[in-house]
């Protein structure tokens, strides 16, 4: 079992910045990947940014060049620095971790943190 606790988020104006943080109950080296998804009402969660255990980073095309994901391994924390925010970045951001266990790959989710960007 992996618990994920998110912090940060809130409100910002378009063009501004916000930072999200997610702290895991397990070492980041035990996780196949950790990252962020966004969900808006009526839509499925979609990947925003993810970092794999190899260190490889994946970003959705919409946030490339604006968002940066980073790890603080000693604190078991991953950050999402969001810059040049757009109104379309609004939504609930969920931290996600994948861990390989005895029964295969399993997903874990945080409780979600809302982000509102006003134009």
């Amino acid at each position: 079992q992996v618990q994920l606790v998110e912090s940060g988020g809130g409100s910002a104006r378009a063009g501004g910045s916000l930072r999200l943080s997610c702290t895991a109950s397990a070492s980041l080296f035990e996780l196949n990947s950790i990252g962020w998804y966004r969900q808006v009402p009526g839509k499925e969660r979609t990947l925003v940014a993810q970092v794999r255990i190899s260190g490889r980073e994946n970003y959705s095309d919409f946030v490339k060049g604006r968002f940066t994901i980073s790890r603080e391994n000693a604190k078991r924390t991953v950050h999402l620095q969001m810059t040049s925010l757009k109104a379309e970045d609004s939504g609930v951001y969920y931290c996600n971790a994948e861990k390989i266990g005895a029964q295969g790959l399993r997903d874990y989710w945080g409780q979600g943190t809302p982000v509102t960007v006003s134009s």
Side-chain angles (χ1 to χ4, degrees), residues 4 7-8 15 21 32 37 39 54 57 60 63-64 66-67 72 74-75 80 90 95 101 107 109 111:
L4 301 171
S7 60
S21 298
N32 194 55
Y37 283 69
Q39 188 170 27
S54 64
E57 299 170 4
S60 72
V63 307
K64 278 181 182 177
R66 299 189 297 120
F67 291 11
E72 269 193 272
K75 294 185 177 181
L80 183 68
S90 298
C95 184
D107 275 306
W109 295 94
Q111 78 281 3

Side-chain angles (χ1 to χ4, degrees), residues 63-94:
V63 307
K64 278 181 182 177
R66 299 189 297 120
F67 291 11
T68 303
I69 191 168
S70 61
R71 296 185 303 192
E72 269 193 272
N73 294 324
K75 294 185 177 181
R76 307 189 311 276
T77 297
V78 63
H79 304 288
L80 183 68
Q81 182 66 47
M82 305 186 291
T83 63
S84 301
L85 284 165
K86 304 177 181 181
E88 304 90 281
D89 293 322
S90 298
V92 179
Y93 283 69
Y94 292 90

Side-chain angles (χ1 to χ4, degrees), residues 30-33 50 52 96-100 105-107:
E30 297 178 18
L31 305 175
N32 194 55
S33 71
Q50 179 187 70
R52 307 198 73 81
N96 166 267
E98 294 179 337
K99 187 175 188 295
I100 297 175
L105 193 64
R106 182 175 173 179
D107 275 306

